[in-house]
Amino acid sequence: MTRCRPATSLALGLAGVVVGTGSGCRPSEPDRTAAPIVQTAASTSKPPFVERAQEAGIDFVWRSGHRERFLHPEILGGGVALLDADGDGRLDIYLVQGGSLESSTEHRNALFLNRGGGHFEDVSRGSGADDGGYAMGVTAGDYDNDGDPDLYVTNVGPNVLLRNDGGHFTDVTDTAGVGDPSWSSSAAFVDYDADGDLDLYVCNYLHWSPSSERDCRNAYDSPDYCGPQAYAAPAPDTLYRNDGDGRFTDVTRDLGIDQSLGNGLGVTIGDFTGDGRLDIFVANDATMNLLWVRGADGRFRDEALKRGCATDEAGQVKAGMGIGNADVDGDGDADLLVVNLQSETDSFFRNDDGLFRDETARQSLATVSRRFTRFGTGFVDIDNDGRLDLFAANGRVRRQGESFGDDPYAEPNLLYRGTSSGFMEWLPRGGTRSPLLLTSRGAAFGDLDDDGGIDVVVANRDGPTNLLWNAIEDRGHWIALRVLDEHGRDALGAAVTIRSGERTIHRDVLAAYSYCSSNDPRVHCGLGDATTIEEVLVRWVDGAEDAFGPFDADQVVVIRRPGVGEAPAGP
């Protein structure tokens, strides 16, 4: 196949497209035959996941609305949230919807309540959660400290805050003042000022409208989606401070968040610098990543470049999308993974006392990943052997010479097994008996049936949602900790240290990672052969510490921060 490019070209952004053509050699049309799936590691005797969305009652498709024009938001949605919406102790599933960017056709977000036994019920109608915007993603957190997790939905256009009252949701966007009108992607609830209520960080992608859309062409001189550099219009992210009375104040400019721009797609939180304050990390598409560190004066400064996580080790700016956030090497500080575009490797940033080093190759993540375009991702212990594994939900943003099926943007997902020397691809590819060939975007991780096995929900562009049920029969022991603050809400941002035998495990209470999605906030740890936890030490966001335990393994434990004059509370 000839692979010449037009004589006049400009390679652009996430989609790697070409804008403008002149005379010159044109490549032949793409080969639509299915590309072979090359096995790169020994296959397991039984796949770790079983796809069972239809069986479980999850019937949902994120609609891009694509017709003839290639409108950029169509290729980047959507997301999923795992949360206990109705307070029954089981994780429910919330899926955001796209629709149409050029017509009044309206599609609505969906809420599926977990009825137990692996079954879910669509209760969207009448729940108040069925917002009708063109949605990209969602994050969950209890902003009003009433014990119910609320939802913040990011849209192309004004975002929406849905207040949860016992499983019924109310749109309180206008009252709260958080209807960011930009094209937003991922978001995170974070108590950055440690005052006891959750603030809100919103990633914005581009200043964009249908009227400003560009006509872009791919390497085969066919119309296709543009990349972000075609617009040269990165949008600043937004930071809202929770005022504690149901309202928020936009402090983006006051606290310095407007000083660095990027095409924001992924966000996560944690104390990455070890100073006791929460930081905010943002994966940007075709612009440098951001690490917002709050100084003693209360203002944020982007320290990604000086701390080593703005670009890869060669100084290359990549098409950052999803984020993994976990202490992979067990040294007590959280490492970061940014997943990128096809032909670009992942970027694994090992955290060494607040300074990051690109160790992608050392972790064996460079070779397999670069063939695919990765979005939703997360470090989770699939088999509970005590080592973190890695999942990536894949799907292209441009057409290529080979395809995996009728959908030219579809790709198989990836699953890696964690080993003592890095990661090895866990076959069959993607963890299911037959690869799921879809255009995957958001992925959310959590234990949907409380059996100790992490399950995965994947949102797909113009394809059915996947529910990847953990089917490993010989998993190790485990514990899951639901860590609640004194108000009874998930203590997002708290740091947890678990001591079990000779092992010390460091985890954070974390919902915001992956891509455009919100994950089970419970701290899940695989324990291997260990059957007891001697101690759980929780460092709350304000720096105070409490000890809990001991606990037996193989259970979900709820621990609560004591109020004034109270002792730490266990289950």
Side-chain angles (χ1 to χ4, degrees):
M1 180 184 298
T2 305
R3 292 190 180 275
C4 302
R5 288 187 178 272
T8 303
S9 66
L10 177 62
L12 294 175
L14 180 151
V17 302
V18 176
V19 178
T21 62
S23 61
C25 177
R26 290 188 178 184
S28 57
E29 284 300 307
D31 178 5
R32 296 303 178 197
T33 59
I37 298 176
V38 179
Q39 304 295 333
T40 58
S43 298
T44 56
S45 58
K46 187 175 182 180
F49 291 125
V50 173
E51 206 299 304
R52 55 177 309 239
Q54 290 294 320
E55 179 184 347
I58 307 298
D59 184 11
F60 186 88
V61 175
W62 187 87
R63 303 290 182 185
S64 71
H66 175 68
R67 292 293 183 265
E68 296 180 358
R69 298 180 68 198
F70 288 82
L71 302 177
H72 197 32
E74 296 171 349
I75 198 62
L76 293 182
V80 54
L82 301 184
L83 72 160
D84 182 6
D86 56 355
D88 66 355
R90 295 188 289 256
L91 282 178
D92 308 305
I93 300 173
Y94 186 73
L95 291 155
V96 302
Q97 183 57 278
S100 174
L101 293 161
E102 293 188 296
S103 74
S104 59
T105 302
E106 190 175 81
H107 299 270
R108 293 191 169 272
N109 304 340
L111 175 63
F112 293 87
L113 291 186
N114 189 340
R115 297 308 191 190
H119 298 287
F120 292 80
E121 179 185 358
D122 186 346
V123 298
S124 308
R125 188 181 299 274
S127 70
D130 54 342
D131 182 63
Y134 193 98
M136 287 280 112
V138 59
T139 195
D142 181 10
Y143 84 93
D144 55 356
N145 287 340
D146 67 350
D148 299 318
D150 310 297
L151 292 166
Y152 186 75
V153 180
T154 59
N155 292 318
V156 180
N159 300 332
V160 173
L161 177 63
L162 300 174
R163 187 187 67 213
N164 184 3
D165 294 304
H168 185 270
F169 292 83
T170 303
D171 184 344
V172 295
T173 310
D174 291 342
T175 300
V178 292
D180 192 313
S182 305
W183 169 7
S184 302
S185 53
S186 297
F189 282 108
V190 50
D191 185 7
Y192 73 83
D193 51 6
D195 67 349
D197 49 34
L198 293 175
D199 312 297
L200 180 62
Y201 188 95
V202 183
C203 289
N204 292 318
Y205 188 59
L206 289 172
H207 291 293
W208 181 92
S209 67
S211 62
S212 68
E213 186 55 86
R214 301 283 303 277
D215 291 325
C216 296
R217 310 186 78 81
N218 59 28
Y220 301 93
D221 199 23
S222 300
D224 214 332
Y225 290 102
C226 296
Q229 292 178 352
Y231 310 91
D237 295 343
T238 306
L239 179 62
Y240 294 104
R241 184 190 67 226
N242 191 334
D243 296 332
D245 58 357
R247 292 174 289 189
F248 291 76
T249 298
D250 185 341
V251 293
T252 305
R253 178 173 296 181
D254 294 342
L255 297 190
I257 298 296
D258 63 337
Q259 295 302 299
S260 294
L261 298 180
N263 305 302
L265 286 180
V267 64
T268 193
I269 66 171
D271 179 11
F272 301 115
T273 62
D275 63 358
R277 293 186 288 265
L278 289 177
D279 310 304
I280 302 168
F281 180 78
V282 179
N284 283 324
D285 178 12
T287 48
M288 288 192 292
N289 303 323
L290 305 175
L291 178 60
W292 293 113
V293 178
R294 195 170 189 228
D297 61 356
R299 290 176 57 82
F300 285 93
R301 293 168 179 82
D302 173 21
E303 297 187 1
L305 191 59
K306 81 172 189 177
R307 291 184 180 270
C309 54
T311 69
D312 71 6
E313 62 182 353
Q316 179 183 355
V317 174
K318 294 179 178 177
M321 287 161 307
I323 298 175
N325 174 1
D327 180 15
V328 174
D329 56 1
D331 66 350
D333 43 29
D335 309 300
L336 291 166
L337 175 76
V338 178
V339 294
N340 303 299
L341 182 69
Q342 183 270 341
S343 79
E344 299 176 345
T345 66
D346 290 333
S347 295
F348 178 83
F349 298 111
R350 180 180 178 273
N351 189 346
D352 186 6
D353 292 330
L355 298 177
F356 292 87
R357 182 168 60 246
D358 186 339
E359 292 193 354
T360 307
R362 180 173 294 183
Q363 293 290 331
S364 301
L365 290 172
T367 303
V368 176
S369 66
R370 68 186 307 148
R371 186 182 175 189
F372 306 101
T373 294
R374 293 84 64 199
F375 279 85
T377 192
F379 291 110
V380 286
D381 190 349
I382 298 296
D383 54 0
N384 294 341
D385 66 349
R387 293 192 179 99
L388 289 170
D389 308 303
L390 176 64
F391 179 87
N394 302 333
R396 298 170 179 171
V397 293
R398 62 167 182 171
R399 296 170 184 252
Q400 296 178 17
E402 61 178 10
S403 64
F404 291 95
D406 293 336
D407 179 353
Y409 301 101
E411 291 180 330
N413 300 323
L414 291 172
L415 178 64
Y416 300 87
R417 186 194 293 272
T419 74
S420 59
S421 58
F423 293 89
M424 174 182 292
E425 187 177 13
W426 193 336
L427 299 178
R429 178 153 284 168
T432 54
R433 187 171 301 280
S434 297
L436 301 174
L437 301 179
L438 294 156
T439 305
S440 299
R441 293 298 181 249
F445 303 86
D447 184 358
L448 292 168
D449 56 351
D450 293 333
D451 68 345
I454 292 294
D455 312 297
V456 188
V457 181
V458 181
N460 299 299
R461 174 189 186 265
D462 292 330
T465 299
N466 294 132
L467 173 54
L468 306 184
W469 207 257
N470 192 320
I472 300 175
E473 297 176 351
D474 56 347
R475 293 190 300 260
H477 295 288
W478 58 279
I479 194 162
L481 305 171
R482 188 172 186 198
V483 183
L484 305 178
D485 73 355
E486 64 272 26
H487 304 290
R489 68 164 172 83
D490 294 298
L492 301 180
V496 178
T497 301
I498 299 169
R499 295 189 174 91
S500 176
E502 296 181 355
R503 291 189 62 205
T504 299
I505 306 166
H506 303 278
R507 297 286 185 267
D508 289 346
V509 182
L510 187 64
Y513 61 92
S514 189
Y515 173 79
C516 284
S517 296
S518 190
N519 303 274
D520 184 354
R522 296 176 297 185
V523 175
H524 173 275
C525 289
L527 300 174
D529 295 332
T531 59
T532 58
I533 299 294
E534 283 76 37
E535 183 183 51
V536 174
L537 183 66
V538 179
R539 188 184 75 236
W540 308 98
V541 171
D542 61 6
E545 294 185 349
D546 287 301
F548 303 84
F551 303 113
D552 293 330
D554 303 325
Q555 62 172 326
V556 178
V557 176
V558 179
I559 56 179
R560 298 173 175 84
R561 184 177 188 177
V564 177
E566 296 178 347

